[in-house]
Amino acid sequence: MTLRIDISGLPSERVRFAASPLAELTAMLHVLFEPGHHPQFADWAADVWAGLRPELAERLREAEFLWRSSQADFLIPARPRPTLAEELDDVDRIDDERYVTAALVTTCGSNRVHFAGASPLTDSTARERALDVAQARGALQEAFAERLLADPAAVRTRVRHTLEECAGAFFDGAWAGVAVQLATDLRLKNELLRRQGVGAALASVSGAVTLAPDGDCIIVDKVQDKATAARGAGVTFIPSVFGRPHLVAVHAPRWHPVVQYPVAEPGPAEPVSLETVTLRLEALAHPIRLRLLRTLARGPHTTAELAHFWELSPPEVSRHLAVLRRAGLLTARRHGRYVRYTLKLSDLAALGTDLLSAVLR
């Protein structure tokens, strides 16, 4: 399962590495709403929440699905600018249809809301489809989607104002702290790109990003098989400190390909008992359960959503989810008539270390 970015005929200078204030702010917002994905920033997130004005905290929550499980494409710029204000100006230049469609992304990766060419702003069927999907994701997202479709301009203004307020509340201080790390990483990547070419630069990004043997395609390990093309605009790689461990890719039609990759080092993990390690290894020894985990790693999902995504029957998915829950790799939470399953990402990430520690003990 990969994302393939066609770069055939693309000059090497069109493969660019650059830092983006807006993309890093988006990564910070994701940390605030999913601190379990980023245990190394748990204390930072708690401090930020404690210091936020109630009004700003409420506005962040009302638009949380723009950055919680997925990052809306317009928040990961293809042409990074030096300042957050400049990048927000670029977002303002996006037409309503592109903005709204990107904002209606409801899950991570490439499992997106599909409108079959129709705009939810003008087509009633596409609009109802968008609202049905939003309803299944929760009342908060349903309410946001309704406001977005009813008055895109008002929502866009409110979202921009919210992001601008984040600058003074926590972003400016955090950005100053990570800017040196990002600049150091960029110097390395751009030097490799200049001296050794695209392949060497990509190899330093992540083991999940490679250059095809013929040099005409960048291959990114993602949850679904998808393809896009860089064409004349090129492809942009954006380093992130707060984004670890995620590798975020923009590849939807009409958007330039962008990959946001992590540069921070992971924190140490605590080992668990040998019995728990054994149970988890047994739970992972099935290809279907591994597929389910790849989807759940992008955010909470219901049994029905997982069954539809992987073309399985709901009872079959339920059986596999039960095994993963017994192994302590999932949590389940009811929201009205929906039960959503969430991956305990930190426990899964620690499995290799847990196994080694158990063997050495």
Side-chain angles (χ1 to χ4, degrees), residues 44 54 91 125 130 153 165 222 252 256 259 307 331 350:
W44 174 86
V91 174
T125 301
E165 284 204 32
K222 294 299 289 180
H256 300 316
V259 176
T331 58

Side-chain angles (χ1 to χ4, degrees), residues 87-340:
E87 292 187 324
L88 291 175
D89 287 343
D90 286 343
V91 174
D92 287 344
R93 297 184 185 99
I94 299 170
D95 62 72
D96 281 348
E97 184 175 335
R98 292 182 71 203
Y99 186 102
V100 169
T101 302
L104 290 175
V105 173
T106 57
T107 56
C108 281
S110 54
N111 185 24
R112 300 170 180 269
V113 182
H114 295 287
F115 303 115
S119 169
L121 290 175
T122 57
D123 184 89
S124 60
T125 301
R127 185 181 191 281
E128 289 306 311
R129 167 61 179 156
L131 292 176
D132 285 345
V133 175
Q135 181 185 48
R137 305 303 294 165
L140 189 67
Q141 184 163 329
E142 180 184 15
F144 186 91
E146 288 178 343
R147 292 194 300 273
L148 180 67
L149 291 170
D151 192 348
V155 172
R156 293 180 65 162
T157 299
R158 187 171 176 84
V159 169
R160 170 162 184 158
H161 183 54
T162 299
L163 296 175
E164 288 174 331
E165 284 204 32
C166 288
F170 62 87
F171 173 73
D172 288 346
W175 176 253
V178 303
V180 174
Q181 296 179 62
L182 297 178
T184 300
D185 180 81
L186 289 172
R187 282 195 295 271
L188 170 64
K189 300 297 188 294
N190 285 307
E191 184 67 11
L192 285 171
L193 185 63
R194 184 178 68 86
R195 290 182 174 272
Q196 301 181 37
V198 174
L202 295 180
S204 70
V205 168
S206 166
V209 181
T210 57
L211 184 66
D214 60 9
D216 285 344
C217 184
I218 297 173
I219 302 172
V220 184
D221 182 26
K222 294 299 289 180
V223 69
Q224 280 185 297
D225 288 319
K226 290 289 183 179
T228 188
R231 297 190 174 89
V235 57
T236 303
F237 288 84
I238 299 174
S240 174
V241 171
F242 279 81
R244 179 174 292 277
H246 303 308
L247 190 69
V248 178
V250 173
H251 58 81
R254 299 178 63 195
W255 295 91
H256 300 316
V258 184
V259 176
Q260 184 185 37
Y261 63 92
V263 298
E265 293 296 327
E270 295 183 3
V272 297
S273 69
L274 178 59
E275 179 182 2
T276 300
V277 171
T278 301
L279 189 64
R280 289 176 178 174
L281 289 174
E282 291 173 350
L284 295 174
H286 197 290
I288 290 180
R289 289 197 281 273
L290 288 176
R291 293 178 184 178
L292 297 177
L293 287 178
R294 294 198 76 175
T295 303
L296 290 168
R298 274 73 182 174
H301 286 73
T302 66
T303 300
E305 288 172 332
L306 292 167
H308 175 73
F309 189 94
W310 290 109
E311 299 182 347
L312 300 168
S313 69
E316 183 179 11
V317 171
S318 294
R319 288 193 296 271
H320 287 297
L321 292 176
V323 173
L324 292 167
R325 288 190 68 189
R326 285 195 296 270
L329 294 174
L330 299 181
T331 58
R333 188 172 182 179
R334 178 173 292 279
H335 298 266
R337 59 192 178 97
Y338 300 98
V339 176
R340 296 194 182 91

